[in-house]
Amino acid sequence: MSAASSTKAPSSPAGSAGPKASKASRRRQSDTDPLTLALAPPPNESMQERTERLALAATAAQTSRAIDEALLQEKRALDKKKEDVKILLLGQSESGKSTVLKNFRLRFTPEYFDSERAAWKIVVLLNLISSIRTTVNTIQAELAAPEFTLVSPQHAQLCTELQPLLHQEETLVSLIAVSPHFTDPGEALVRPGGAWKRVLAESDEARAAAAIVHELREEIEALWADTAVRELLEKRGISLKDGGGYFMDDIHRVTALDFVPTDSDILRARIKTLGVEEHFFEKEAAAPGTKGVKDFWIYDVPGSRGSRAAWIPFFDMVQAIVFLTPLSFYEVLEEDTRVNRLEDSVVLWKEICSNKLLEACSIILFFNKMDILKAKLKAGLIVREYVTSFADRPNTYAGATGYFKEKFRAYHKRLSPQPRAFFYYETTAVDTRSTAKIIGTVHEEIFRRHLKDSILI
Ligand SMILES: Nc1nc2c(ncn2[C@@H]2O[C@H](COP(=O)(O)OP(=O)(O)O)[C@@H](O)[C@H]2O)c(=O)[nH]1
Ligand SMILES: [Mg+2]
């Protein structure tokens, strides 16, 4: 055995250089590495250039840290949002979803509710002006008819005097509306997110409009007190909706310069939002009776037939659905007058109950607008005339609600993919007191369920 063979260096793979040569090639490689080159100081850098370069690098590092921090916070917020309870409000258009949302605000985040009063004051005035516009248009149409009996030239005069109000409405709506193309004359359709509230609360135009409404309060009162005008509206089958009619009965108060809307006013005030609104309920220490309440989210969605596809993306992220239906078996849908309102609600209810994506979701049924049902029954509404299957059951409030409750309960039981509890409440969402109690119970129910589920997981 030769010594040489025992100390022989392991042979290098063909074509490769020895250890010395490989170090040199690594150095050459790093000299040509674009990153190293980009970071290296330029040749012949002066002291001032060096200071500037290092300062720039420090700023870049700081910016990068700030971005990292922002991303981290965003991720934390997202993680928290994932854990927070999320509630979806569902129901056909006009069922009372947005009104229930305001009840949640009033009950759980009263400070937030308070902070919005200045904006809602202007919405109240917009609703009032909208009713005046409807009335003025009806009078003018009557005046233009070949022979008019109900209105006189004095009414024409009153309409002229009220014109400045209608201009104010146009100005305000143009400030906040999504686009004039989406907007009926005078109807503000706003973008979700609530930026419109700041505009209304802070703009000079809004203050000027409030002053003009105040100046014309006597003319508004004269218009509304006129029996011929009332008769005309009735003859034409026009009811002043969207809260406007409600405020017309309270002109003196709402047109005062120092008018601050009450909770009920805010609940009645209406503004239309385009698309889904996400509302975050952050626990407020000052809110009474909110011990143990955690942050949560509510999604308020549009309810008309054409916009229901927008609900689906929310189905696999919410823990609870509050489903609203007025028992308006005596009405048809605004967007499709061939469809009975209650029938539409039942179809929707069946879809929601049977949806697999929602099988783990609590569904809470609100029979809303019960004040209206009570009033209708009192005025002589006969349920059987609209719903033949009601047959000869007692034509009373308890009779009607009991009957429909069992219908909804039966569908819930039969169609739910897995058994779940049936939660049901009769509500009048414009009555803040009774609704506050119900909302408190519903909230507790949802959180109890959620807590149980998280423990199980
Ligand atoms: N009388 C009465 N009106 C209600 C009730 N709930 C809501 N409203 C009114 O019905 C209209 C439609 O309500 P809204 O909450 O906007 O319905 P949404 O389209 O489902 O969001 C508004 O003018 C509300 O003031 C209720 O329980 N009783
Ligand atoms: Mg709504």
Side-chain angles (χ1 to χ4, degrees):
M1 190 204 300
S2 79
S5 71
S6 68
T7 57
K8 199 174 142 203
S11 64
S12 311
S16 96
K20 255 193 188 158
S22 96
K23 213 180 201 176
S25 100
R26 267 206 299 279
R27 196 176 318 119
R28 260 201 317 280
Q29 246 171 25
S30 72
D31 286 351
T32 53
D33 171 31
L35 188 65
T36 315
L37 280 177
L39 294 176
N44 311 324
E45 184 182 41
S46 71
M47 270 308 275
Q48 192 189 342
E49 283 166 343
R50 179 182 152 76
T51 316
E52 283 169 6
R53 179 173 57 79
L54 291 179
L56 267 176
T59 316
Q62 205 178 1
T63 310
S64 160
R65 274 197 302 276
I67 292 173
D68 287 350
E69 180 59 27
L71 284 174
L72 190 69
Q73 277 187 12
E74 208 171 292
K75 183 175 176 319
R76 277 199 199 116
L78 264 176
D79 287 348
K80 177 176 174 303
K81 189 172 174 183
K82 256 189 220 156
E83 280 168 23
D84 284 345
V85 164
K86 287 170 278 309
I87 303 168
L88 181 61
L89 296 171
L90 289 187
Q92 63 192 192
S93 190
E94 299 281 307
S95 54
K97 299 180 291 296
S98 304
T99 313
V100 163
L101 176 99
K102 288 184 205 162
N103 276 286
F104 267 96
R105 276 262 170 255
L106 184 59
R107 171 72 178 75
F108 292 108
T109 55
E111 282 176 22
Y112 182 99
F113 201 75
D114 271 344
S115 71
E116 294 197 327
R117 284 187 206 272
W120 286 107
K121 167 183 173 163
I122 306 298
V123 179
V124 168
L125 297 184
L126 270 172
N127 290 172
L128 183 80
I129 302 177
S130 165
S131 289
I132 295 164
R133 177 171 44 80
T134 307
T135 312
V136 165
N137 288 349
T138 313
I139 294 174
Q140 284 174 337
E142 178 84 352
L143 286 165
E147 52 184 60
F148 53 83
T149 47
L150 281 172
V151 287
S152 65
Q154 272 151 301
H155 291 107
Q157 173 66 24
L158 198 52
C159 290
T160 312
E161 286 166 5
L162 287 166
Q163 281 304 320
L165 277 188
L166 309 191
H167 296 314
Q168 290 312 309
E169 184 189 32
E170 277 167 33
T171 311
L172 291 179
V173 169
S174 69
L175 280 181
I176 53 172
V178 171
S179 143
H181 306 296
F182 284 111
T183 307
D184 282 345
E187 186 187 75
L189 179 63
V190 294
R191 230 174 264 290
W196 61 269
K197 289 180 192 153
R198 216 180 39 252
V199 174
L200 288 190
E202 293 170 5
S203 77
D204 291 338
E205 286 91 341
R207 267 188 291 278
I212 289 174
V213 173
H214 174 73
E215 274 167 32
L216 287 170
R217 73 205 303 196
E218 279 176 20
E219 285 76 4
I220 304 171
E221 279 178 325
L223 179 81
W224 195 232
D226 195 309
T227 45
V229 171
R230 301 262 188 136
E231 214 178 303
L232 173 66
L233 289 173
E234 204 178 310
K235 193 173 122 194
R236 296 270 173 271
I238 294 170
S239 66
L240 302 176
K241 46 175 201 153
D242 289 0
Y246 174 76
F247 299 124
M248 286 292 263
D249 288 332
D250 223 349
I251 295 165
H252 194 77
R253 184 175 65 87
V254 302
T255 57
L257 275 181
D258 58 358
F259 164 61
V260 178
T262 62
D263 296 344
S264 298
D265 293 334
I266 298 183
L267 247 66
R268 296 272 185 171
R270 288 208 76 195
I271 191 150
K272 287 201 173 166
T273 308
L274 178 80
V276 178
E277 283 223 77
E278 179 184 70
H279 296 262
F280 180 48
F281 286 71
E282 189 170 19
K283 184 179 164 60
E284 281 178 10
T290 50
K291 203 168 144 254
V293 168
K294 298 214 168 61
D295 296 349
F296 61 100
W297 301 77
I298 294 189
Y299 296 89
D300 183 15
V301 298
S304 67
R305 287 200 142 188
S307 51
R308 290 176 192 168
W311 299 359
I312 297 163
F314 295 87
F315 284 180
D316 61 353
M317 58 183 267
V318 297
Q319 287 73 39
I321 285 180
V322 173
F323 186 101
L324 285 108
T325 175
L327 293 180
S328 27
F329 46 81
Y330 45 82
E331 273 175 356
V332 290
L333 289 179
E334 205 167 283
E335 64 267 28
D336 187 346
T337 49
R338 291 165 305 175
V339 182
N340 178 283
R341 272 190 171 271
L342 184 63
E343 267 175 46
D344 177 64
S345 260
V346 171
V347 170
L348 263 183
W349 176 250
K350 286 159 79 173
E351 281 172 20
I352 295 302
C353 288
S354 58
N355 194 306
K356 280 288 278 179
L357 283 175
L358 298 172
E359 66 181 350
C361 193
S362 302
I363 305 179
I364 299 133
L365 176 64
F366 279 16
F367 276 178
N368 190 37
K369 302 199 179 184
M370 288 300 98
D371 57 327
I372 296 182
L373 181 70
K374 276 183 197 154
K376 292 252 177 207
L377 288 167
K378 208 167 159 204
L381 179 86
I382 308 287
V383 182
R384 191 183 54 229
E385 284 178 7
Y386 298 88
V387 186
T388 43
S389 59
F390 189 71
D392 54 0
R393 289 173 177 79
N395 196 68
T396 56
Y397 175 74
T401 48
Y403 175 72
F404 292 114
K405 176 183 169 184
E406 285 320 311
K407 289 257 173 240
F408 276 78
R409 185 211 292 276
Y411 285 127
H412 178 269
K413 187 164 182 211
R414 182 150 63 79
L415 298 173
S416 287
Q418 58 186 40
R420 61 181 145 189
F422 175 71
F423 298 105
Y424 156 88
Y425 298 89
E426 287 156 25
T427 58
T428 293
V430 285
D431 174 8
T432 53
R433 266 220 276 170
S434 64
T435 312
K437 259 194 229 145
I438 292 174
I439 282 196
T441 317
V442 165
H443 181 272
E444 255 174 50
E445 234 10 286
I446 295 174
F447 271 79
R448 192 176 310 140
R449 203 30 247 281
H450 178 65
L451 206 65
K452 214 167 71 194
D453 285 354
S454 348
I455 292 167
L456 284 177
I457 289 163

